[in-house]
Amino acid sequence: MLQGVNHLTLATGDLDKSLAFYVDLLGCRPRVRWARGAYLTLGELWLCLSCDAPRPARDYSHVAFGIPAEHFAPFCARLRAAGVDEWQANRSEGDSFYLKDPDGHRLEIHVGDLESRLASLREAPYQGLIWFD
């Protein structure tokens, strides 16, 4: 039986640039590095950066990282000052900042969790919304 997400692997064309992005800008903790990759952690997340030809999704697929509300604005200001590429404006519940990593993988910095999202759906349901509980 599945237990949840084990790890996330992202392809990178430039390991040094990706390490600087994920460690220096996003605050991941580097654990090990080898010739063609690295393992990082961020809270409970195990992130693998693997050297390969990146082909990031061109759809809405993305990875969202949580952040406390009080840290959101200064964190996003630091990312903007670093010149990160923003890929969309926030259109959903909770503060969100949408950015791309150096290889073009789509990321989100988000304030809130599933419970806050569900609460917002009680107030303003999506078209065709069906509740399962």
Side-chain angles (χ1 to χ4, degrees):
M1 180 198 269
L2 295 178
Q3 298 176 326
V5 175
N6 181 273
H7 68 279
L8 172 65
T9 298
L10 296 174
T12 178
D14 184 330
L15 186 58
D16 289 329
K17 187 184 257 188
S18 288
L19 278 169
F21 177 84
Y22 282 97
V23 173
D24 299 339
L25 274 180
L26 297 190
C28 291
R29 179 179 170 213
R31 302 303 300 271
V32 297
R33 177 191 174 145
W34 61 97
R36 301 207 32 88
Y39 290 149
L40 314 172
T41 55
L42 184 64
E44 296 295 314
L45 174 66
W46 166 17
L47 175 63
C48 174
L49 299 174
S50 182
C51 293
D52 196 2
R55 289 181 203 81
R58 301 202 191 289
D59 56 21
Y60 190 66
S61 298
H62 63 279
V63 176
F65 299 107
I67 190 168
E70 64 271 18
H71 298 296
F72 180 77
F75 191 81
C76 294
R78 188 165 65 87
L79 294 174
R80 283 187 176 108
V84 299
D85 183 12
E86 295 182 53
W87 62 275
Q88 86 167 23
N90 186 32
R91 297 185 301 260
S92 61
E93 170 273 333
D95 288 328
S96 286
F97 180 79
Y98 297 87
L99 67 149
K100 292 182 182 178
D101 79 358
D103 292 293
H105 298 291
R106 293 176 177 197
L107 309 175
E108 174 185 359
I109 309 301
H110 181 71
V111 175
D113 57 17
L114 178 58
E115 294 308 315
S116 63
R117 180 62 51 88
L118 293 176
S120 77
L121 291 176
R122 286 182 180 84
E123 300 294 319
Y126 297 153
Q127 181 178 359
L129 183 75
I130 299 170
W131 292 93
F132 291 107
D133 356 84

